Amino acid sequence: MPIISGAARTIMSAPELRPLGLDGLMEIVPRRHGDVRGYFAEVWRDGWIEGVRFVQDNHSLSRMTGTLRGLHFQLDPAAQAKLVRVVAGAVFDVAVDVRPGSPSFGQWAGATLTAERGNMLFVPAGFAHGYATLEPDSEVAYKASATYDPALERVIRWDDPAIAIDWPLAGPPILSPRDAAAPTLADIRHEL
């Protein structure tokens, strides 16, 4: 399980970690140093999570509340760990364990991420990831530990009844055609 390295614990800006019950999945709350001008927060430093090195940054904007993106992941050798944060608005962010042989295979956990709080979700490699917007014009920025490889990307249905994610949506989500037609985890388990 990735952990904050010993050296990072001595740094004043080291974030607070909140495990979410699935091996390696955690909410991270950076320390904000504020004054009358606003605040400063260190949101990532190489070495904070042992064994994780990020190589790609992504940014998305979802204009409408109720937009749902996911559940996406990549197969080995391009499996991605992700560090997800909201830079505007709010989302309900979810990770599903898709690691073969994991005792929590098919289980999910999530957290509400907001720009106001500045909290983040660390999603280890081997988890599918998705989020639903809770406010209009929500922007999500995330780091990935492997570059995007469309040949190795997979999608799981957002409402897979075997996973049973409790999305906090007021109505049907706004989906891409690909996400709307995604298979269940059982349908793609043989590929894992």
Side-chain angles (χ1 to χ4, degrees):
M1 171 175 133
I3 58 170
I4 295 289
S5 68
R9 288 190 188 106
T10 63
I11 299 169
M12 184 176 162
S13 293
E16 176 186 347
L17 302 177
R18 296 181 180 155
L20 294 178
L22 301 178
D23 186 28
L25 182 67
M26 65 183 107
E27 181 182 11
I28 300 174
V29 183
R31 307 275 184 222
R32 286 184 171 175
H33 307 283
D35 58 27
V36 297
R37 300 168 297 165
Y39 68 84
F40 171 84
E42 192 173 347
V43 298
W44 176 251
R45 182 183 291 202
D46 193 34
W48 271 0
I49 301 175
E50 291 179 6
V52 176
R53 186 163 185 95
F54 294 114
V55 299
Q56 180 175 316
D57 280 271
N58 302 316
H59 190 120
S60 72
L61 166 67
S62 297
R63 294 249 180 242
M64 295 173 281
T65 300
T67 298
L68 196 150
R69 297 177 184 264
L71 301 160
H72 305 154
F73 68 102
Q74 291 189 172
L75 300 172
D76 282 332
Q80 295 176 317
K82 296 176 181 175
L83 183 64
V84 184
R85 70 187 183 103
V86 172
V87 295
V91 304
F92 183 66
D93 203 28
V94 171
V96 178
D97 189 346
V98 295
R99 299 171 295 181
S102 170
S104 58
F105 181 84
Q107 294 178 25
W108 71 275
T112 298
L113 306 181
T114 70
E116 182 179 335
R117 284 189 64 222
N119 58 329
M120 303 181 289
L121 190 68
F122 175 72
V123 181
F127 281 73
H129 172 253
Y131 58 87
T133 58
L134 304 175
E135 295 180 7
D137 296 320
S138 288
E139 292 185 55
V140 174
Y142 63 95
K143 297 183 170 304
S145 64
T147 56
Y148 175 69
D149 186 336
L152 295 173
E153 184 182 32
R154 298 296 182 269
V155 182
I156 300 169
R157 191 164 175 83
W158 68 277
D159 62 350
D160 184 332
I163 299 170
I165 297 170
D166 187 15
W167 296 101
L169 297 169
I174 300 161
L175 300 165
S176 71
R178 179 183 66 156
D179 289 350
T184 66
L185 180 56
D187 291 337
I188 64 166
R189 188 170 187 164
H190 65 280
E191 296 184 55
L192 303 178

